Amino acid sequence: MVKIEYEGRSYAVAGKESVLDALLRNGLPVAHSCKAGGCGSCLMRAVEGEVPAKAQAGLKESWKEQGYFLACVCHPESNLRVGGVGADARLGATITALDLLSSDVMRVRLHCDESIRFRAGQYVTVILEGGLSRSYSVASLPNEGELELHVRRISGGKMSGWFHDDAKVGQRVSVLGPSGECFYVAGREDQPLLLIGTGTGLAPLYGILRDALLHGHRGPVHLFHGALHKGGLYLVDELRRLAGRHSHVEYTPAVLKGDHADGFEVGPIDQVVLRKFPKLTGWRAFLCGDPTLVQSLKKKLFLSGMASRDIYADAFLPSAPSS
Ligand SMILES: Cc1cc2nc3c(=O)[nH]c(=O)nc-3n(C[C@H](O)[C@H](O)[C@H](O)COP(=O)(O)OP(=O)(O)OC[C@H]3O[C@@H](n4cnc5c(N)ncnc54)[C@H](O)[C@@H]3O)c2cc1C
Ligand code: FES
């Protein structure tokens, strides 16, 4: 049976357990959230032994080289000695601003103690003093000097509730990251871009859109933002102004319930997009937000002619029970 050594003690990994499962089963308080390899919260470091490649998928190269891996998707085939995340991966940060962008979306600005290299659209994991950790996409651009996050209030949500009700400017948090591969890659500047998100799925898209413009993207850029009703849309005026300044940028806010009188498209976001663009051969897409929608959109865009290598997605996986 494979064993893992952690903080001087040895633990058996039973059957199909991951490193995270084995440590949690033994009562160890290891940070985690999605338990599906999608949020980066359970990052650990292998000090000795072989880490399966799957447990390092999507991590930045410098982390891979240092043995970092995601414990929730790490099923080792031989013994491992593991440790927690070192100071080289975790950064201290101060909350510099908290502004409501809509009734349930808070814009959080964080100033990191050291400069953090990220691409607009990637995500970071925020860790509170007690160890609670959740991931949030970065809406700001690297040259803006701060991390901008858009946090939607989830009913009964631990981290989102904390940001909405308890967090104060000046408070300290830790930040892990960045992670994720949903960002604009320069080149093919004439390619049409499709950016689709619901809710705070707008956060990474807001960064990606501005990043593409900064890189001189010349092809048409279509941003679709969907919400249940108009109160769920945010940054509407700002995005309309941005589209007004760039003739090749089009912004389409859409609501599931409402009417066209407000200037919004009405209907499920996938239908709104495909009604307008039924053929997508040669396009590049960025899909962010609700995991079910992201998954189904990936399939629909592929069936509409988009190459799967041109579809970048970031699913906002919720925390697993008791995380
Ligand atoms: C890569 C990535 C990027 C993300 N980016 C963002 C972002 O930019 N902005 C943002 O607001 N969130 C984002 N999330 C989601 C975020 O990490 C948290 O899951 C979210 O804020 C809820 O955490 P919480 O602690 O408030 O709720 P929890 O305490 O984890 O959950 C409370 C309850 O609500 C349920 N729940 C959790 N999420 C949802 C949901 N979306 N809808 C309905 N029920 C839910 C849980 O299952 C649980 O029962 C992202 C997630 C990932 C993996
Ligand atoms: S990546 Fe492991 S808990 Fe989310």
Side-chain angles (χ1 to χ4, degrees):
M1 186 177 281
V2 172
K3 293 208 165 137
I4 40 177
E5 194 186 317
Y6 178 59
E7 294 181 337
R9 290 193 59 186
S10 178
Y11 303 93
V13 181
K16 290 184 178 163
E17 270 187 339
S18 64
V19 168
L20 178 68
D21 291 332
L23 296 176
L24 293 178
R25 179 170 51 77
N26 283 284
L28 294 157
V30 182
H32 62 284
S33 177
C34 72
K35 284 192 170 176
C39 76
S41 299
C42 63
L43 194 71
M44 296 192 90
R45 188 175 190 171
V47 184
E48 210 177 296
E50 274 295 294
V51 175
K54 190 181 165 217
Q56 294 189 310
L59 297 184
K60 53 185 178 184
E61 287 307 317
S62 59
W63 280 4
K64 288 184 190 172
E65 281 162 21
Q66 292 171 76
Y68 282 109
F69 66 96
L70 298 174
C72 69
V73 285
C74 182
H75 300 272
E77 285 166 13
S78 51
N79 294 351
L80 269 186
R81 187 149 67 87
V82 303
V85 173
D88 51 342
R90 212 184 254 230
L91 276 182
T94 304
I95 299 176
T96 57
L98 292 160
D99 312 291
L100 274 178
L101 293 173
S102 73
S103 59
D104 67 352
V105 176
M106 179 75 80
R107 175 164 54 201
V108 178
R109 288 212 163 98
L110 297 176
H111 185 82
C112 295
D113 296 348
E114 287 166 39
S115 78
I116 172 168
R117 282 167 64 94
F118 67 92
R119 296 297 310 270
Q122 286 190 295
Y123 60 88
V124 293
T125 303
V126 175
I127 307 166
L128 302 188
E129 209 173 52
L132 181 69
S133 60
R134 297 285 184 265
S135 303
Y136 294 96
S137 303
V138 182
S140 44
L141 299 176
N143 63 6
E144 290 172 343
E146 289 195 324
L147 296 178
E148 172 177 331
L149 316 177
H150 300 168
V151 180
R152 181 160 78 95
R153 182 194 281 279
I154 297 291
S155 169
K158 294 190 201 114
M159 180 71 90
S160 61
W162 182 82
F163 271 121
H164 279 259
D165 299 329
D166 303 320
K168 303 265 180 304
V169 169
Q171 256 172 317
R172 302 274 297 159
V173 296
S174 297
V175 168
L176 253 187
S179 308
E181 290 164 349
C182 187
F183 53 82
Y184 179 80
V185 177
R188 298 187 292 166
E189 280 86 4
D190 295 311
Q191 188 178 30
L193 302 184
L194 188 54
L195 281 56
I196 313 172
T198 51
T200 42
L202 180 65
L205 300 180
Y206 179 64
I208 291 166
L209 166 60
R210 294 179 305 133
D211 197 30
L213 295 176
L214 208 63
H215 279 89
H217 194 86
R218 294 183 296 264
V221 184
H222 291 272
L223 167 64
F224 289 83
H225 184 209
L228 198 56
H229 45 74
K230 68 176 182 180
L233 296 169
Y234 63 94
L235 292 180
V236 174
D237 293 340
E238 183 169 337
L239 288 166
R240 281 184 172 148
R241 279 196 298 274
L242 191 148
R245 290 197 301 272
H246 301 274
S247 58
H248 62 310
V249 175
E250 198 178 313
Y251 160 59
T252 308
V255 290
L256 203 55
K257 295 175 187 164
D259 59 56
H260 291 278
D262 294 312
F264 306 135
E265 290 288 325
V266 178
I269 192 79
D270 49 349
Q271 288 179 22
V272 170
V273 173
L274 292 167
R275 220 163 35 217
K276 197 157 181 176
F277 300 113
K279 279 261 168 285
L280 292 164
T281 309
W283 288 56
R284 190 183 338 172
F286 299 89
L287 316 173
C288 303
D290 178 68
T292 315
L293 181 78
V294 164
Q295 212 37 46
S296 103
L297 267 170
K298 263 185 177 177
K299 217 178 274 174
K300 288 178 180 171
L301 299 190
F302 176 72
L303 292 174
S304 300
M306 202 178 285
S308 51
R309 65 171 182 282
D310 278 335
I311 305 177
Y312 297 81
D314 216 346
F316 290 4
L317 297 174
S319 59
S322 79
S323 296

